[in-house]
Amino acid sequence: MEFRAHPLIFAVIAGGIERGAFHANVFAGGDIRSGRQDVTHLAVQNAIQVGQAFRAAVIRMERTRCFGSCPAYILIIYGDGRVEYISKEDKKAAAKQGTIAPGAVKALLAQFASAKFLSLPDYLFEECTCRQCTDLPSTITEINVQGTTHRVRHDYGCGCAPEALFELESAIDKAANVEQWTGDTSKRGPAGTTCFQPKDLKH
């Protein structure tokens, strides 16, 4: 049976290859039961493929400009720990490279799972039904695991996004240690903003 990526792949990867033989049953339909000592050949094969999917995972996050001094860049994190940073402020600057521990990638994938990332929609300013604020940046987060890709565009001017999405975006920055390239960004941000409720929420 061919292994195919599934939303629960994130939970499998987060669980680690050492438990992959059990978790692979979720995807492959293998005859594995909690507590059994024997492991079918099918489940072992799928556990190996889970490990391959982990190493092939790609996380991409882009932060856009705002009306002000918001940092703008692209981060790409690979399952093997490679990191790429591309500045969108200085287009002449070469891409930067770094590395993180495989465990840090695994922790990020676990956070994608806990945030239920694959079920999240886009949060676009022009389609927002919650509080709206002008002149704020956006973050575009994408993950690809074994051919399954999901992207979420998060306009910070839309108040509908869950806290888990903000936390995931911050975790990606932290895992990559992005401030080694951007410097301290704590004093950078929009020059100002105006907030309001969309018309369909007004009484």
Side-chain angles (χ1 to χ4, degrees), residues 83-125:
V83 178
E84 293 183 18
Y85 168 86
I86 304 167
S87 173
K88 296 188 65 182
E89 299 175 75
D90 182 1
K91 294 185 178 180
K92 295 182 179 180
K96 309 294 185 181
Q97 285 79 38
T99 58
I100 61 176
V105 181
K106 184 186 293 187
L108 279 180
L109 291 169
Q111 194 152 351
F112 271 89
S114 64
K116 300 180 180 179
F117 183 79
L118 290 189
S119 67
L120 296 181
D122 289 332
Y123 299 95
L124 305 178
F125 183 85

Side-chain angles (χ1 to χ4, degrees), residues 24 33 35 47 72 129 144 149:
R33 296 291 184 273
T129 58
N144 181 290
T149 300

Side-chain angles (χ1 to χ4, degrees), residues 114-160:
S114 64
K116 300 180 180 179
F117 183 79
L118 290 189
S119 67
L120 296 181
D122 289 332
Y123 299 95
L124 305 178
F125 183 85
E126 58 270 20
E127 298 175 4
C128 190
T129 58
C130 304
R131 174 190 49 79
Q132 294 173 295
C133 296
T134 63
D135 305 319
L136 298 183
S138 297
T139 298
I140 305 164
T141 305
E142 179 181 299
I143 187 168
N144 181 290
V145 180
Q146 198 81 357
T148 293
T149 300
H150 187 63
R151 175 187 299 174
V152 174
R153 179 176 174 181
H154 176 195
D155 288 352
Y156 279 25
C158 178
C160 293

Side-chain angles (χ1 to χ4, degrees), residues 1-2 4 19-20 22 30 55 60 62 64 69 76 81 92 94 97 99 117 121 127 142 171 182 186 199:
M1 180 180 294
E2 180 183 0
R4 294 187 182 277
R19 295 205 302 272
F22 169 74
R55 290 187 293 274
R60 185 183 189 276
E62 176 180 351
T64 70
S69 60
I76 306 173
K92 295 182 179 180
Q97 285 79 38
T99 58
F117 183 79
E127 298 175 4
E142 179 181 299
T182 64
S186 60
K199 292 180 180 179

